[in-house]
């Protein structure tokens, strides 16, 4: 597919054409020419209102249903939604049934998604069946395409397992993901412990549950060396702890979920389970600290933490509902209500280097891997905007600024209709 993107503003700090409105010719998946008023000469022309183009966005935490929970989401539809939401690459959590803890499981996910425009980069389970007892087949999974290892939203109570994993993966430059939450302190909590939880009569999860586990995990990293990624942090103290660890030279990175940058626990007053997420939504002081952490570079990645949940497991009493919200379709539009465009693009692409993926830049001769978007579109997120099979979005009725058109990746153009 040979294309020319007309009058597109490039957002790429490493490109000589950054912030310039240009035409981009793509031939055979390679950027052939960048300039103004280029002749189409047989190329298919792509013209979109206020078109902006950046390097392809990478989502570092994505859950889909397949295999095992296709009623929640299939690989095919999930990747199509990702593409139409602007994501060229996703790191897929090991949340299927069976859990991806073996070489064959990783190979299945890679092979099943080979022809999708959005590329899948599986995360292998750190422990067998994500039960936290025995380390899984990490090296074999790496050889099949796993880009990191972690047990999604499960915290290791056994510190020795994390210690051994951090030491072991150094032999093949592996990345360990450590979701950080002390389950004993969390107890039966379902929301942030504070004023809102008291008013609602819901059991609370103190910030201490996250912060104590981060302290432990950082001490282990300091002892072992290696690379550690702490996903979806949610408290001001967590930001400070990671900032201090980076200053000491530890190889630690972290992410924050879009919903933690947008919402506070004040939205819980109606007991709406769409807002039940892990870690829980926190007060405004924590939200502001997370935004500051993004802006000062402490937080490396922003993720949608896309997690489709079927209605039978989500539309329940708050205590019983599963954690999680879909996030692909709303990610970009929501982020632009709280962050500058250049920062958003940087945080949606920085994860490629952290997860060991090939990085690109928008320049002649480079591989074309683009996210296409209009940063000025203003709209309200409604049910018709949910393309995912499951409809558990926390962002319904939210005002949005900016909208993804789609992607060009792997020689394929996918646009939202």
């Amino acid at each position: 597919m040979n294309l020319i993107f007309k009058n597109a503003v490039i957002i790429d700090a490493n490109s000589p054409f950054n912030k310039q409105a240009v035409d981009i010719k793509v031939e055979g998946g390679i950027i052939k020419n960048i300039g103004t008023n280029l002749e189409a000469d047989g190329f298919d022309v792509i013209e979109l209102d206020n078109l902006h183009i950046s390097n392809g966005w990478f989502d570092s935490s994505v859950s889909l249903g397949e295999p095992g929970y296709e009623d929640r989401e299939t690989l095919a539809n999930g990747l199509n939604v990702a593409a139409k939401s602007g994501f060229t690459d996703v790191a897929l959590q090991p949340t299927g049934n069976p859990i991806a803890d073996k070489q064959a499981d990783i190979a299945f996910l890679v092979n099943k998604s080979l022809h999708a425009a959005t590329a899948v980069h599986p995360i292998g389970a750190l422990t067998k069946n994500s039960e936290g007892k025995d380390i899984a087949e990490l090296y074999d999974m790496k050889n099949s395409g796993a880009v990191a290892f972690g047990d999604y939203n499960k915290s290791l109570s056994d510190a020795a397992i994390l210690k051994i994993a951090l030491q072991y993966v150094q032999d093949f430059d592996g990345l360990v993901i450590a979701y950080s939450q002390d389950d004993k302190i969390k107890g039966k909590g379902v929301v942030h412990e504070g004023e809102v939880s008291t008013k609602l009569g819901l059991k609370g999860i103190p910030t201490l549950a996250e912060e104590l586990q981060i302290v432990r995990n950082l001490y282990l990293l300091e002892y072992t060396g290696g690379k550690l990624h702490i996903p979806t942090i949610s408290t001001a103290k967590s930001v400070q702890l990671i900032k201090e660890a980076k200053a000491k030279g530890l190889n630690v990175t972290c992410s924050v979920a879009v919903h933690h940058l947008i919402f506070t626990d004040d939205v819980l007053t109606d007991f709406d389970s769409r807002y039940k997420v892990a870690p829980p939504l926190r007060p405004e002081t924590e939200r502001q600290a997370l935004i500051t952490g993004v802006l000062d570079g402490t937080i490396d990645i922003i993720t949608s933490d896309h997690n489709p949940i079927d209605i039978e497991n989500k539309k329940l009493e708050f205590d019983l509902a599963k954690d999680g919200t879909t996030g692909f379709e709303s990610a970009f539009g929501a982020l632009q209500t709280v962050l500058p465009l250049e920062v958003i693009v940087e945080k949606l692409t920085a994860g490629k280097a952290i997860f060991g993926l090939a990085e690109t830049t928008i320049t002649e001769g480079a591989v074309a891997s683009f996210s296409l978007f209009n940063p000025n579109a203003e709209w309200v997120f409604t049910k018709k905007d949910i393309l995912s099979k499951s409809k558990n979005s926390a962002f319904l009725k939210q005002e949005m600024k900016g909208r993804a058109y789609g992607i060009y990746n792997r020689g394929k153009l996918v646009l939202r209709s």
Side-chain angles (χ1 to χ4, degrees):
M1 180 182 288
N2 296 330
L3 303 173
I4 179 167
F5 296 89
K6 297 292 291 183
N7 197 32
V9 178
I10 292 176
I11 304 296
D12 176 7
N14 295 317
S15 172
F17 302 96
N18 187 35
K19 296 185 179 179
Q20 296 180 35
V22 294
D23 299 341
I24 306 173
K25 274 189 174 181
V26 177
E27 184 174 2
I30 304 297
I31 301 173
K32 179 182 179 181
N33 193 215
I34 300 177
T36 55
N37 300 315
L38 299 182
E39 293 293 330
D41 52 26
F43 282 57
D44 292 332
V45 177
I46 306 299
E47 289 188 273
L48 299 167
D49 183 45
N50 194 35
L51 175 60
H52 284 57
I53 287 181
S54 73
N55 287 310
W57 301 341
F58 168 71
D59 197 331
S60 63
S61 180
V62 171
S63 298
L64 299 176
E66 192 173 355
Y69 303 110
E70 288 83 356
D71 53 331
R72 298 178 184 175
E73 187 59 280
T74 63
L75 272 170
N77 188 65
L79 295 178
N80 186 49
V81 176
K84 291 181 177 181
S85 303
F87 293 96
T88 60
D89 298 83
V90 298
L92 189 61
Q93 295 284 1
T95 53
N97 184 17
I99 284 173
D101 63 357
K102 297 182 290 298
Q103 186 176 22
D105 301 325
I106 300 299
F108 166 80
L109 294 169
V110 171
N111 293 330
K112 188 74 182 286
S113 59
L114 276 177
H115 301 294
T118 294
V120 164
H121 308 280
I123 296 170
L126 184 65
T127 62
K128 292 180 180 178
N129 206 36
S130 287
E131 292 177 344
K133 296 177 181 178
D134 301 293
I135 290 178
E137 302 172 2
L138 307 187
Y139 182 66
D140 287 345
M141 286 192 288
K142 173 79 171 181
N143 287 338
S144 283
V147 294
F149 309 98
D151 297 331
Y152 180 64
N153 280 7
K154 294 182 179 179
S155 194
L156 278 173
S157 59
D158 189 340
I161 290 180
L162 182 59
K163 169 184 167 290
I164 293 167
L166 283 166
Q167 292 171 323
Y168 175 57
V169 299
Q170 291 178 55
D171 289 339
F172 51 88
D173 196 31
L175 175 66
V176 172
I177 300 174
Y179 178 74
S180 297
Q181 179 175 261
D182 188 303
D183 290 334
K184 294 294 186 182
I185 291 179
K186 173 184 179 289
K188 295 182 179 179
V190 292
V191 297
H192 170 76
E193 182 181 85
E195 183 179 338
V196 172
S197 66
T198 302
K199 286 180 179 178
L200 300 179
L202 294 171
K203 287 186 171 67
I205 305 171
T207 60
L208 186 67
E210 177 172 304
E211 296 152 3
L212 269 182
Q213 199 78 347
I214 286 179
V215 169
R216 186 204 74 171
N217 293 344
L218 290 174
Y219 268 116
L220 288 169
L221 178 65
E222 187 172 9
Y223 178 81
T224 61
K227 295 190 297 186
L228 182 69
H229 180 68
I230 301 175
T232 58
I233 64 172
S234 67
T235 82
K237 184 66 174 177
S238 297
V239 175
Q240 185 61 33
L241 289 167
I242 292 167
K243 187 173 186 178
E244 292 169 358
K246 288 184 172 187
K248 291 168 66 174
L250 299 187
N251 194 348
V252 59
T253 56
C254 65
S255 71
V256 65
V258 175
H259 43 267
H260 285 112
L261 297 174
I262 303 299
F263 300 115
T264 69
D265 58 349
D266 286 334
V267 301
L268 301 174
T269 52
D270 292 330
F271 298 92
D272 191 335
S273 62
R274 291 183 299 115
Y275 298 112
K276 189 183 181 192
V277 292
L281 299 175
R282 307 286 189 183
E284 179 66 9
T285 51
E286 311 300 318
R287 188 184 78 87
Q288 287 296 334
L290 294 171
I291 289 175
T292 299
V294 169
L295 293 172
D296 70 15
T298 302
I299 296 175
D300 305 274
I301 301 171
I302 297 175
T303 172
S304 75
D305 201 21
H306 180 80
N307 189 5
I309 304 293
D310 56 281
I311 192 170
E312 289 82 4
N313 284 292
K314 193 62 173 175
K315 200 169 184 180
L316 298 170
E317 293 90 340
F318 199 93
D319 287 6
L320 301 177
K322 283 187 176 292
D323 297 316
T325 175
T326 56
F328 280 152
E329 305 96 312
S330 49
F332 179 64
L335 286 173
Q336 273 220 132
T337 64
V338 293
L339 290 170
L341 175 61
E342 290 78 8
V343 172
I344 294 167
V345 170
E346 190 235 324
K347 298 303 179 182
L348 291 180
T349 55
K352 291 180 179 179
I354 293 168
F355 281 71
L357 310 185
E359 296 181 84
T360 58
T361 190
I362 302 176
T363 189
E364 292 176 358
V367 173
S369 177
F370 302 150
S371 294
L372 316 174
F373 53 95
N374 176 358
N376 296 338
E378 295 186 0
W379 53 294
V380 175
F381 192 81
T382 64
K383 285 185 178 180
K384 68 179 178 62
D385 298 303
I386 301 176
L387 306 178
S388 300
K389 196 170 180 182
S390 294
K391 309 302 179 184
N392 57 305
S393 173
F395 293 88
L396 285 175
K397 300 181 181 179
Q398 280 293 117
E399 293 184 358
M400 301 280 170
K401 183 183 178 185
R403 191 162 198 162
Y405 284 124
I407 63 169
Y408 178 84
N409 192 49
R410 289 178 155 184
K412 298 179 175 69
L413 177 69
V414 179
L415 295 177
R416 186 167 185 152
S417 56

